[in-house]
Amino acid sequence: MQTLLNVLAYNTYYYAFYATMVSNEVYLDSAQRTDSVVSLTKPVGYFVPFRSSAKATINVFGLLDDIPEFAQFYGKNPDGLVYSFYTLKSYQQTDSDALNVEVYEGRTTKIDFDVTNSFDETYQRFFIAEPEIDIRSLKVKVQTNGQVDPTSNKDLWILADDLGNTTIANQNVYYLERGNNGLYVLFGKTNSLGRSVDAAADRIYVSYLTSSGKAANDIVEFAFVSPVAIAGNISIGLVEKSVGGLNEPNLDFVKFVAPKTFSSQNRAVTKDDIKALVAPFFSSQSEYNVFGGEEIFPQMFGRVFFTADLDPNNAAQSQQIQQITDAIRSKCVVTVIPEFVQSKFINVEQRVGFALTPTKFFNESEKQQLRNSIKTILNTEFDTQGSYNYYFNSEDAANRIKSIYKDVLVEPNDFSIFYKNTFYGGETILVDLENELDVPFFTNIDVTEDFIGPSGSLIKLVLYVNANQNLFSFVTLKTFQKSADGSYVEIAESYGRVNIKRGIIEISDSRNTSSPITINVNFKNKYFVSNLNNKIRFRTTSVEYK
């Protein structure tokens, strides 16, 4: 009897396990398999890509003519392995200035490959059996009446981004549908979906790259290969190393973007609509951010801002900024003005304390080993060297530590999150930390360390609030001057103010000096969240045994 019960319990347990796994694949948020995510995003009109090629930006000087589309370069990684990189558009040669050129890695290429014989006219589609294709490189051209007149021009058709949009009726557009081990390219079967192709008269050509994925990342050494006819005394410099190569789609990114793409419906009204428009220009949501003018200080209604680690003074990056701006403006409502703003790097740090179970003895060497191990967990799993839309919760970190080290006692209150940064004189300091500051009532809290004031004496700025003050409005900072005996005396001058709830610190620095001002403030909550143009560098500076 016991054996029978064990068998039934075993069967029930595994049935429950598999039922849970199957049910997880039914929902986009919990799906883990790529096939499931593809199926779930297909009804909302989102195409899940295959591999992504690594992209690099190089500086080319000394060419004899324009760089054509699919010009070839070699890139060599530190191990000596050589990868081929290609341009996806043409670049106009200049007499004196070097060109900033974007090149994409391609393991294999098809250039103007004739696929007419594989075209199914009934379904207006053909299949590309390349599961490693980078769809960003796909070019579809149709030679109208090419079967009859081989000298006729090949017209470039464009990818339609909105099914049923009236602007694509009778236009040269195509659609993509993911299949097993490749993708279908489809043309409009009715005029409202775009022009159809006549297999008896037209010819179809495709060009594309297949990708080596992440293997081609981090390449910094490049050389020009072809076409040889344009090669002069060429020199190539590096603007940005190759990045973004992926062996498979980033499913977290797909889950983030797909619903926003569907909700935007080919127009941009809300912030999420605009995020969906900006997303294709980046490989991860941590590489950019979008926010409205009503979220910033001071507020600017009717404006929408996007930010990324791009430099407007760099020719290639300035061009990318313009492309994103144009993409937003083309679908924005008339009353909303899109604008790029540069990132502000915010250095956020944390200190962590922990205890150990009292029933077990740990010597100093073991305690030190635990300190190092806990810090490694926090550094690798929670810290970031630079991210937008960053979120940290000390409860998650504490639970992660305790799941690995059963004898470690650590709670969210053992985490202390703070901001510390140094500024140099001559301009107004304005920092929007987006998180509430830790300011107890009826207590002087130092906002700055000692610095040289306008009169040449050492001063510091102090925050003091009472229970009757509105923490959502600005509170004027007090100024304390350091005396010869080391004590501090409050003086009348005022140099700054703070919005405690928002974490905005504004200091008017009119000193004619480069001596530094260091701001050091603690956050009230045991979490940190960033939503604006702040690119967060979050790091754990110390882990100590209590």
Side-chain angles (χ1 to χ4, degrees):
M1 188 62 160
Q2 186 61 46
T3 302
L4 180 61
L5 289 174
N6 288 340
V7 170
L8 291 174
Y10 180 87
N11 180 71
T12 303
Y13 172 78
Y14 275 93
Y15 178 79
F17 173 80
Y18 286 117
T20 300
M21 294 299 102
V22 170
S23 63
N24 283 343
E25 299 303 310
V26 175
Y27 302 100
L28 182 61
D29 286 340
S30 56
Q32 299 297 314
R33 300 179 66 250
T34 300
D35 289 346
S36 300
V37 174
V38 170
S39 297
L40 291 168
T41 55
K42 184 177 177 180
V44 301
Y46 185 84
F47 183 85
V48 179
F50 295 89
R51 285 194 171 191
S52 294
S53 296
K55 181 186 77 171
T57 304
I58 56 178
N59 192 265
V60 182
F61 181 79
L63 293 173
L64 299 177
D65 205 341
D66 297 345
I67 301 177
E69 186 178 71
F70 290 107
Q72 185 180 11
F73 294 78
Y74 279 157
K76 185 166 66 174
N77 71 6
D79 296 327
L81 296 178
V82 175
Y83 295 86
S84 292
F85 284 75
Y86 298 85
T87 57
L88 296 187
K89 64 179 182 179
S90 60
Y91 291 85
Q92 187 174 1
Q93 183 261 351
T94 60
D95 294 332
S96 56
D97 297 330
L99 288 174
N100 282 342
V101 177
E102 291 182 349
V103 290
Y104 294 77
E105 186 271 333
R107 187 171 57 83
T108 62
T109 61
K110 295 285 188 182
I111 309 297
D112 283 344
F113 181 67
D114 192 338
V115 294
T116 309
N117 291 337
S118 62
F119 177 64
D120 185 333
E121 187 172 13
T122 302
Y123 293 100
Q124 285 287 305
R125 68 181 186 181
F126 62 90
F127 186 71
I128 299 178
E130 293 283 6
E132 297 176 350
I133 186 175
D134 185 337
I135 62 169
R136 295 174 299 177
S137 67
L138 180 62
K139 312 284 184 181
V140 178
K141 296 179 182 179
V142 176
Q143 189 177 20
T144 305
N145 209 32
Q147 300 272 37
V148 179
D149 181 10
T151 64
S152 61
N153 293 329
K154 299 174 186 175
D155 297 321
L156 179 66
W157 289 38
I158 62 172
L159 176 65
D161 61 357
D162 186 41
L163 189 66
N165 184 356
T166 56
T167 61
I168 65 175
N170 294 309
Q171 299 300 307
N172 295 344
V173 297
Y174 66 90
Y175 302 86
L176 295 179
E177 182 174 336
R178 185 163 172 152
N180 293 327
N181 297 317
L183 75 158
Y184 289 97
V185 178
L186 304 97
F187 302 103
K189 294 183 67 176
T190 63
N191 289 338
S192 62
L193 298 179
R195 291 179 56 192
S196 59
V197 174
D198 182 357
D202 304 335
R203 300 200 70 83
I204 306 169
Y205 301 88
V206 295
S207 303
Y208 57 83
L209 306 176
T210 62
S211 171
S212 300
K214 63 181 181 181
N217 286 338
D218 301 321
I219 291 177
V220 299
E221 185 179 344
F222 291 88
F224 180 74
V225 180
S226 68
V228 177
I230 69 171
N233 186 18
I234 295 178
S235 63
I236 296 179
L238 181 70
V239 177
E240 183 180 10
K241 69 179 181 180
S242 61
V243 294
L246 297 173
N247 291 344
E248 56 188 13
N250 183 335
L251 296 187
D252 289 335
F253 185 61
V254 172
K255 293 175 185 179
F256 172 78
V257 172
K260 293 175 175 56
T261 303
F262 174 71
S263 65
S264 67
Q265 294 292 298
N266 201 43
R267 86 285 187 266
V269 178
T270 68
K271 182 171 68 173
D272 283 346
D273 294 342
I274 296 171
K275 280 188 175 181
L277 293 176
V278 176
F281 291 92
F282 301 94
S283 59
S284 168
Q285 59 180 310
S286 65
E287 295 180 0
Y288 71 96
N289 196 25
V290 175
F291 52 95
E294 74 281 358
E295 299 178 71
I296 64 174
F297 172 80
Q299 291 179 316
M300 301 176 68
F301 295 101
R303 306 283 284 277
V304 63
F305 300 93
F306 70 94
T307 187
D309 194 10
L310 299 171
D311 182 4
N313 297 317
N314 177 286
Q317 295 180 21
S318 176
Q319 185 179 24
Q320 184 176 358
I321 292 171
Q322 189 60 50
Q323 289 172 347
I324 298 172
T325 304
D326 292 342
I328 298 173
R329 185 177 287 115
S330 67
K331 297 186 179 181
C332 248
V333 294
V334 175
T335 55
V336 175
I337 302 172
E339 183 178 337
F340 171 77
V341 291
Q342 287 189 274
S343 306
K344 294 182 179 180
F345 285 91
I346 300 293
N347 296 309
V348 180
E349 302 177 7
Q350 72 169 342
R351 295 181 291 265
V352 182
F354 71 95
L356 296 168
T357 52
T359 57
K360 188 174 181 180
F361 174 76
F362 292 85
N363 58 39
E364 289 303 318
S365 175
E366 292 171 324
K367 291 177 183 177
Q368 184 59 48
Q369 186 175 358
L370 278 172
R371 289 191 195 98
N372 296 337
S373 299
I374 293 172
K375 189 173 182 180
T376 298
I377 293 171
L378 295 171
N379 289 157
T380 56
E381 298 186 24
F382 296 93
D383 293 2
T384 178
Q385 294 301 312
S387 295
Y388 304 98
N389 304 299
Y390 179 74
Y391 177 74
F392 170 82
N393 191 328
S394 59
E395 184 175 358
D396 295 337
N399 290 338
R400 176 59 174 158
I401 293 168
K402 290 187 289 186
S403 70
I404 299 176
Y405 301 105
K406 304 301 183 184
D407 294 315
V408 170
L409 305 177
V410 60
E411 300 298 334
N413 285 335
D414 295 320
F415 291 73
S416 176
I417 306 173
F418 62 98
Y419 166 78
K420 184 176 182 180
N421 201 15
T422 299
F423 300 85
Y424 294 87
E427 59 184 24
T428 296
I429 299 169
L430 179 60
V431 182
D432 188 346
L433 299 174
E434 306 181 67
N435 291 263
E436 184 176 354
L437 304 180
D438 186 15
V439 184
F441 292 131
F442 309 110
T443 305
N444 284 330
I445 302 297
D446 291 349
V447 173
T448 70
E449 298 177 0
D450 293 348
F451 65 93
I452 299 175
S455 64
S457 59
L458 287 177
I459 62 173
K460 66 178 179 180
L461 304 184
V462 173
L463 182 59
Y464 179 90
V465 295
N466 59 50
N468 296 322
Q469 285 180 304
N470 182 2
L471 302 185
F472 289 92
S473 61
F474 278 92
V475 178
T476 301
L477 292 171
K478 294 182 176 182
T479 304
F480 283 80
Q481 182 173 300
K482 192 171 187 179
S483 304
D485 61 0
S487 62
Y488 291 89
V489 178
E490 185 176 354
I491 59 177
E493 288 84 352
S494 176
Y495 297 104
R497 58 180 186 162
V498 170
N499 183 311
I500 297 170
K501 285 291 186 179
R502 177 66 182 264
I504 299 175
I505 302 172
E506 185 177 19
I507 298 175
S508 300
D509 185 11
S510 58
R511 304 170 302 151
N512 188 19
T513 176
S514 61
S515 60
I517 298 178
T518 298
I519 297 176
N520 192 344
V521 291
N522 293 324
F523 295 106
K524 180 178 181 178
N525 299 311
K526 301 304 177 182
Y527 60 82
F528 184 88
V529 59
S530 175
N531 294 311
L532 301 181
N533 60 320
N534 293 330
K535 190 168 187 180
I536 304 302
R537 290 172 175 155
F538 191 96
R539 64 192 184 102
T540 304
T541 55
S542 69
V543 176
E544 299 297 334
Y545 172 70
K546 299 187 295 182

